[in-house]
Amino acid sequence: MADFPVGPVKLKALAARMEAMALREEDLEETFIRSSGPGGQNVNKVSSCVQLTHVPTGTVIKCGESRSQALNRFLARQRLVERIEEERLGIASAHRQAVEKVRRQKRKRSRRAKEKVLESKHRRSDVKEGRKTPGGQDG
């Protein structure tokens, strides 16, 4: 495996996942393109974005997350393994699950759910009102 700017633990973990999915370095086509977004002169001059193609499946991954080309190469391989695991095993990746969770949290409540929340708030308000002293002075 190539030399990436990550620790040996992460490197071994990626190698193990690639081996488990029967992904070989020889099956990967790597091209380097210029990134987009913030980064100034580095983005405009250096081809730090990595486009990784797994030839047997035709899966294409683009990664321009980091300013470092070497780190983008590592991240692209990680994403490729995740995507192929997802396709073969039919499991949702941890990232995709997190995205779905956020989407569910942001979804608007139904009318019935809103009514239940308001009903609960009104009940709580009544309880608090009942605690007040008749003269309006606590204490």
Side-chain angles (χ1 to χ4, degrees), residues 120-134 138:
S120 168
K121 284 185 174 188
H122 286 308
R123 262 189 264 118
R124 184 77 188 139
S125 172
D126 292 342
V127 168
K128 288 181 130 186
E129 281 292 324
R131 286 192 204 141
K132 287 186 177 176
T133 56
D138 289 343

Side-chain angles (χ1 to χ4, degrees), residues 92-137:
S93 67
H95 174 70
R96 198 163 298 234
Q97 285 176 344
V99 167
E100 286 299 317
K101 182 178 179 182
V102 169
R103 186 173 291 142
R104 283 193 306 272
Q105 288 172 340
K106 288 185 174 183
R107 190 171 50 203
K108 285 187 176 179
R109 285 192 172 134
S110 68
R111 176 175 283 136
R112 177 69 186 130
K114 285 181 193 172
E115 288 171 1
K116 283 176 73 175
V117 168
L118 279 174
E119 191 178 311
S120 168
K121 284 185 174 188
H122 286 308
R123 262 189 264 118
R124 184 77 188 139
S125 172
D126 292 342
V127 168
K128 288 181 130 186
E129 281 292 324
R131 286 192 204 141
K132 287 186 177 176
T133 56
Q137 293 286 327

Side-chain angles (χ1 to χ4, degrees), residues 53-65:
T53 306
H54 184 242
V55 178
T57 59
T59 306
V60 178
I61 302 287
K62 271 188 189 175
C63 183
E65 198 171 292

Side-chain angles (χ1 to χ4, degrees), residues 65-83:
E65 198 171 292
S66 166
R67 289 180 65 178
S68 160
Q69 187 184 73
L71 185 57
N72 283 335
R73 291 177 68 212
F74 174 79
L75 293 172
R77 280 169 174 73
Q78 255 188 343
R79 295 216 180 95
L80 178 73
V81 170
E82 284 175 6
R83 172 110 26 107

